[in-house]
Amino acid sequence: FAVVSSYGQGCSVCGEGKKVGNPDAVFVFAGQPSVPCGILEIAGNLGSIPLSQCGFLPPLISVCDCETIGTSSEVTTESTPSPVEPTPSPVNPTPSPVNPTPSPVN
């Protein structure tokens, strides 16, 4: 499944309503180059995998840990309550060296 050209409409390599859960896993299929699951997913979304082949992928890519979109592995962020207190600036700045080394040093 080399990502070379576009076949038009994209597809989900995991199946409708699913996404790759382990994008760093490597999918290996005889006669095809090994490809990280994340790249395979991008190729499917961009239409670089023919729809006729995309339909056969979900049962073959178990290494990619396909999961339903919206499951717990997605990154969630919690907002910080405001206002946030700024970090105070240093009261006593670091002094410069008292005896700098002359140039050039032998």
Side-chain angles (χ1 to χ4, degrees), residues 10-100:
C11 68
S12 171
V13 295
C14 286
E16 191 66 36
K18 294 188 175 186
K19 67 181 180 79
V20 168
N22 186 0
D24 297 324
V26 177
F27 172 62
V28 179
F29 191 76
Q32 297 292 329
S34 300
V35 61
C37 294
I39 300 296
L40 186 66
E41 182 175 48
I42 291 169
N45 290 336
L46 294 176
S48 298
I49 299 173
L51 292 177
S52 61
Q53 292 180 10
C54 204
F56 293 107
L57 287 175
L60 300 176
I61 61 171
S62 60
V63 68
C64 296
D65 295 333
C66 292
E67 57 189 35
T68 303
I69 293 174
T71 57
S72 62
S73 72
E74 290 185 19
V75 176
T76 58
T77 59
E78 295 180 21
S79 61
T80 304
S82 38
V84 176
E85 293 297 322
T87 304
S89 59
V91 176
N92 298 321
T94 306
S96 60
V98 177
N99 295 321

Side-chain angles (χ1 to χ4, degrees), residues 4-9 46-49:
V4 177
S5 60
S6 177
Y7 290 94
Q9 183 179 2
L46 294 176
S48 298
I49 299 173

